[in-house]
């Protein structure tokens, strides 16, 4: 079955637009209990973006994957460069030369470099980790395609997600220095598993689309209710396992009904935001 392109799929475009808003809610959360619930729901967004990338990379020629790598690398470099200049100027204003030196001393450390390598925690601005993780996911795709080992990747995904859940629930209580967000939000335990899930959805698309719409709606509803439970469970708020079936159900439903939502104005606004999203979300972080 041919994969419907992103331009043809109105429903998926609107879902991505909603996910863009959810990312903003994650970094600029609402206060109180309601804010906690909204943030918990919004965390399906990042897994969705990884899954969509994995879905559309299926059967892509190496040349096209290289183009994606160059595109993501450009956004990453510009983002990190922008914030380097931003923090440099802010350091000059606040503390003059000594303020800049102090910021550089605290930022460019061996620990920061190791966190970047191991956890994809970008050195200048944290939110750019997604770009680095996606860049590495495309690079891994070249190797997995070369050695035809996607089936092996499918087998380890549940293990990686389960490990992520264990870390999310236990690390805050056993680590004296507290939980670090990048222990959950990194390529290995979130980005790559969701990326591979997207690839798996593309391979099994025919079977998945034959499942009744009502069953997908039930999965989405149950996942949302489980998310409400997870939000108030002990542990961190960086990863909720219920976001994964919610993401899968939402994505498959959009693939099953690509023009389910026919309001072109909503789609146009969504597409415009997605085109500027790689820049706007990182620029908006200044105000967070």
């Amino acid at each position: 079955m041919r994969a419907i392109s992103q331009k043809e799929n109105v429903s998926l475009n609107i879902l991505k637009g909603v996910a863009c808003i959810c990312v903003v809610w994650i970094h600029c959360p609402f206060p109180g209990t309601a804010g906690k619930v909204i943030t918990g729901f919004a965390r399906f967004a990042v897994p969705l973006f990884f899954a969509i990338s994995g879905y559309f990379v299926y059967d892509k020629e190496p040349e096209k994957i290289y183009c994606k790598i160059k595109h993501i690398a450009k956004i990453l470099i510009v983002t990190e460069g922008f914030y380097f200049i931003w923090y440099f100027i802010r350091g000059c204003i606040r503390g003059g030369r000594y303020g800049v030196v102090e910021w550089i001393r605290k930022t460019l450390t061996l620990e920061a470099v190791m966190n970047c390598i191991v956890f994809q925690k970008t050195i200048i601005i944290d939110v750019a980790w997604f770009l680095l993780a996606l860049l590495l996911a495309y690079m891994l795709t070249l190797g997995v395609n070369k050695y035809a080992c996607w089936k092996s990747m499918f087998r380890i995904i549940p293990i990686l997600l389960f490990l992520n859940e264990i870390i999310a629930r236990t690390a805050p209580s056993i680590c004296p220095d507290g939980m670090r967000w990048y222990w959950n939000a990194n390529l290995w335990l979130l980005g790559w598993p969701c990326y591979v899930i997207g690839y798996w959805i593309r391979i099994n698309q025919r079977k998945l689309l034959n499942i009744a719409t009502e069953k997908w709606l039930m999965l989405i509803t149950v996942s949302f209710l489980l998310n409400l439970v997870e939000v108030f469970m002990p542990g961190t708020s960086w990863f909720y396992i219920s976001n994964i079936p919610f993401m899968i159900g939402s994505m498959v439903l959009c693939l099953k009904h690509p023009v389910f939502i026919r309001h072109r104005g909503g789609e146009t606004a969504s597409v415009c935001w997605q085109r500027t999203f790689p820049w706007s979300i990182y620029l908006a972080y200044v105000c967070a």
Side-chain angles (χ1 to χ4, degrees), residues 9 59-60 63 71 124 187 199 236 240:
N9 196 313
D59 215 21
K60 284 282 192 298
E63 292 75 16
H71 177 67
I124 308 299
L187 171 68
Y199 196 93
T236 184
Y240 298 123

PDB file of all heavy atoms in Angstrom, residues 9 59-60 63 71 124 187 199 236 240:
ATOM      1  N   ASN A   9      -2.264  14.317   3.218  1.00  0.00           N
ATOM      2  CA  ASN A   9      -2.961  13.911   4.436  1.00  0.00           C
ATOM      3  C   ASN A   9      -3.338  15.130   5.273  1.00  0.00           C
ATOM      4  O   ASN A   9      -2.540  15.636   6.069  1.00  0.00           O
ATOM      5  CB  ASN A   9      -2.087  12.949   5.247  1.00  0.00           C
ATOM      6  CG  ASN A   9      -2.889  12.199   6.292  1.00  0.00           C
ATOM      7  OD1 ASN A   9      -3.680  12.783   7.022  1.00  0.00           O
ATOM      8  ND2 ASN A   9      -2.672  10.891   6.372  1.00  0.00           N
ATOM      9  N   ASP A  59      11.624   3.120   2.912  1.00  0.00           N
ATOM     10  CA  ASP A  59      11.908   2.926   1.482  1.00  0.00           C
ATOM     11  C   ASP A  59      12.530   4.153   0.816  1.00  0.00           C
ATOM     12  O   ASP A  59      12.485   4.289  -0.403  1.00  0.00           O
ATOM     13  CB  ASP A  59      10.627   2.535   0.736  1.00  0.00           C
ATOM     14  CG  ASP A  59      10.890   1.564  -0.401  1.00  0.00           C
ATOM     15  OD1 ASP A  59      11.947   0.904  -0.369  1.00  0.00           O
ATOM     16  OD2 ASP A  59      10.058   1.465  -1.324  1.00  0.00           O
ATOM     17  N   LYS A  60      13.100   5.047   1.616  1.00  0.00           N
ATOM     18  CA  LYS A  60      13.767   6.229   1.054  1.00  0.00           C
ATOM     19  C   LYS A  60      15.179   5.854   0.593  1.00  0.00           C
ATOM     20  O   LYS A  60      15.884   5.085   1.241  1.00  0.00           O
ATOM     21  CB  LYS A  60      13.874   7.332   2.103  1.00  0.00           C
ATOM     22  CG  LYS A  60      12.575   8.081   2.359  1.00  0.00           C
ATOM     23  CD  LYS A  60      12.288   9.085   1.267  1.00  0.00           C
ATOM     24  CE  LYS A  60      11.170  10.046   1.630  1.00  0.00           C
ATOM     25  NZ  LYS A  60       9.889   9.412   1.865  1.00  0.00           N
ATOM     26  N   GLU A  63      20.289   8.830  -0.732  1.00  0.00           N
ATOM     27  CA  GLU A  63      20.502  10.226  -1.081  1.00  0.00           C
ATOM     28  C   GLU A  63      19.475  11.137  -0.404  1.00  0.00           C
ATOM     29  O   GLU A  63      19.805  12.231   0.077  1.00  0.00           O
ATOM     30  CB  GLU A  63      20.420  10.405  -2.605  1.00  0.00           C
ATOM     31  CG  GLU A  63      21.554   9.743  -3.389  1.00  0.00           C
ATOM     32  CD  GLU A  63      21.412   8.238  -3.485  1.00  0.00           C
ATOM     33  OE1 GLU A  63      20.294   7.730  -3.212  1.00  0.00           O
ATOM     34  OE2 GLU A  63      22.414   7.562  -3.814  1.00  0.00           O
ATOM     35  N   HIS A  71      19.591  18.862   6.288  1.00  0.00           N
ATOM     36  CA  HIS A  71      18.563  19.831   6.665  1.00  0.00           C
ATOM     37  C   HIS A  71      18.466  19.972   8.184  1.00  0.00           C
ATOM     38  O   HIS A  71      18.454  21.092   8.715  1.00  0.00           O
ATOM     39  CB  HIS A  71      17.219  19.386   6.087  1.00  0.00           C
ATOM     40  CG  HIS A  71      16.073  20.262   6.475  1.00  0.00           C
ATOM     41  ND1 HIS A  71      15.946  21.565   6.047  1.00  0.00           N
ATOM     42  CD2 HIS A  71      14.991  20.021   7.269  1.00  0.00           C
ATOM     43  CE1 HIS A  71      14.841  22.095   6.547  1.00  0.00           C
ATOM     44  NE2 HIS A  71      14.256  21.184   7.306  1.00  0.00           N
ATOM     45  N   ILE A 124      24.270  24.245  24.339  1.00  0.00           N
ATOM     46  CA  ILE A 124      23.857  25.636  24.530  1.00  0.00           C
ATOM     47  C   ILE A 124      22.422  25.731  25.023  1.00  0.00           C
ATOM     48  O   ILE A 124      22.126  26.419  25.989  1.00  0.00           O
ATOM     49  CB  ILE A 124      24.026  26.441  23.229  1.00  0.00           C
ATOM     50  CG1 ILE A 124      25.461  26.274  22.682  1.00  0.00           C
ATOM     51  CG2 ILE A 124      23.714  27.917  23.475  1.00  0.00           C
ATOM     52  CD1 ILE A 124      26.539  26.764  23.631  1.00  0.00           C
ATOM     53  N   LEU A 187      17.731   9.985  22.562  1.00  0.00           N
ATOM     54  CA  LEU A 187      17.555   9.150  21.375  1.00  0.00           C
ATOM     55  C   LEU A 187      17.269   7.706  21.735  1.00  0.00           C
ATOM     56  O   LEU A 187      16.378   7.078  21.165  1.00  0.00           O
ATOM     57  CB  LEU A 187      18.817   9.228  20.510  1.00  0.00           C
ATOM     58  CG  LEU A 187      18.879   8.228  19.339  1.00  0.00           C
ATOM     59  CD1 LEU A 187      17.834   8.573  18.282  1.00  0.00           C
ATOM     60  CD2 LEU A 187      20.273   8.204  18.720  1.00  0.00           C
ATOM     61  N   TYR A 199       8.207   3.503  11.647  1.00  0.00           N
ATOM     62  CA  TYR A 199       8.634   2.635  10.541  1.00  0.00           C
ATOM     63  C   TYR A 199       7.800   1.355  10.530  1.00  0.00           C
ATOM     64  O   TYR A 199       7.372   0.889   9.471  1.00  0.00           O
ATOM     65  CB  TYR A 199      10.113   2.309  10.707  1.00  0.00           C
ATOM     66  CG  TYR A 199      10.782   1.745   9.481  1.00  0.00           C
ATOM     67  CD1 TYR A 199      11.442   2.584   8.585  1.00  0.00           C
ATOM     68  CD2 TYR A 199      10.770   0.375   9.214  1.00  0.00           C
ATOM     69  CE1 TYR A 199      12.066   2.062   7.453  1.00  0.00           C
ATOM     70  CE2 TYR A 199      11.382  -0.144   8.094  1.00  0.00           C
ATOM     71  CZ  TYR A 199      12.031   0.699   7.214  1.00  0.00           C
ATOM     72  OH  TYR A 199      12.644   0.185   6.103  1.00  0.00           O
ATOM     73  N   THR A 236       8.661  10.873  37.931  1.00  0.00           N
ATOM     74  CA  THR A 236       8.888  12.090  37.165  1.00  0.00           C
ATOM     75  C   THR A 236       7.767  12.342  36.162  1.00  0.00           C
ATOM     76  O   THR A 236       6.944  11.463  35.909  1.00  0.00           O
ATOM     77  CB  THR A 236      10.220  11.996  36.409  1.00  0.00           C
ATOM     78  OG1 THR A 236      10.457  13.234  35.735  1.00  0.00           O
ATOM     79  CG2 THR A 236      10.195  10.886  35.382  1.00  0.00           C
ATOM     80  N   TYR A 240       5.627   9.378  30.018  1.00  0.00           N
ATOM     81  CA  TYR A 240       4.429   8.626  30.370  1.00  0.00           C
ATOM     82  C   TYR A 240       4.229   7.552  29.308  1.00  0.00           C
ATOM     83  O   TYR A 240       4.067   7.869  28.128  1.00  0.00           O
ATOM     84  CB  TYR A 240       3.206   9.528  30.444  1.00  0.00           C
ATOM     85  CG  TYR A 240       3.298  10.610  31.490  1.00  0.00           C
ATOM     86  CD1 TYR A 240       3.167  11.960  31.142  1.00  0.00           C
ATOM     87  CD2 TYR A 240       3.525  10.296  32.833  1.00  0.00           C
ATOM     88  CE1 TYR A 240       3.245  12.947  32.105  1.00  0.00           C
ATOM     89  CE2 TYR A 240       3.610  11.280  33.794  1.00  0.00           C
ATOM     90  CZ  TYR A 240       3.467  12.607  33.436  1.00  0.00           C
ATOM     91  OH  TYR A 240       3.554  13.584  34.382  1.00  0.00           O
TER      92      TYR A 240
END
